[in-house]
Amino acid sequence: MTAEQRPPVRGYAKPVVVPERLDSLTGPTTGIVVLPRHLKWSGNSRYDLDQPGRIADLYRTVLNEAATSDDLSRYLDRATLLDLWSSMWLPVALRGKWEDRFPELRHRRYDPAA
């Protein structure tokens, strides 16, 4: 389903930032990452990517809060995003914009019937 076919989604007022190319995502995949306040404005902004589940938490936060494509390229990694995509809960509008730009993400969705 394309963006034109999808019914309008309410409740997600923040603009969705999507990079021009997935190859521009070259962020860390191990170690400690501390997000700046504009990406993680409350709670613990420190992510130990070597701890189970923390990289998915970081990706969800960055995808939801990114203000620029630089935020995406600095903190996300292409291969890791592709691996995590099907298991992450994301707002419908955000997921739709990313999948419209990058159809290969759409094919990575979890299908319980498969």
Side-chain angles (χ1 to χ4, degrees):
M1 182 181 293
T2 66
E4 292 79 27
Q5 296 167 322
R6 209 176 347 279
V9 177
R10 295 177 166 243
Y12 196 77
K14 186 171 179 26
V16 175
V17 178
V18 181
E20 289 297 317
R21 299 176 357 266
L22 286 177
D23 290 343
S24 69
L25 306 179
T26 58
T29 58
T30 61
I32 305 293
V33 173
V34 179
L35 291 178
R37 186 169 297 279
H38 76 277
L39 291 176
K40 183 66 174 176
W41 43 271
S42 71
N44 187 358
S45 63
R46 183 179 181 274
Y47 294 83
D48 182 348
L49 303 185
D50 299 317
Q51 294 297 312
R54 291 303 284 160
I55 198 162
D57 293 341
L58 172 89
Y59 276 55
R60 222 177 5 260
T61 299
V62 172
L63 287 164
N64 279 294
E65 301 300 330
T68 67
S69 56
D70 185 53
D71 289 334
L72 300 170
S73 62
R74 181 173 289 150
Y75 297 106
L76 303 181
D77 169 74
R78 178 190 181 278
T80 304
L81 177 73
L82 291 172
D83 287 344
L84 292 173
W85 189 257
S86 67
S87 64
M88 282 191 295
W89 180 91
L90 297 167
V92 172
L94 186 146
R95 185 176 290 278
K97 291 217 182 208
W98 276 76
E99 290 180 355
D100 286 346
R101 172 83 47 91
F102 306 111
E104 63 264 44
L105 292 174
R106 197 175 305 127
H107 302 296
R108 291 185 168 269
R109 283 209 180 163
Y110 173 70
D111 181 2

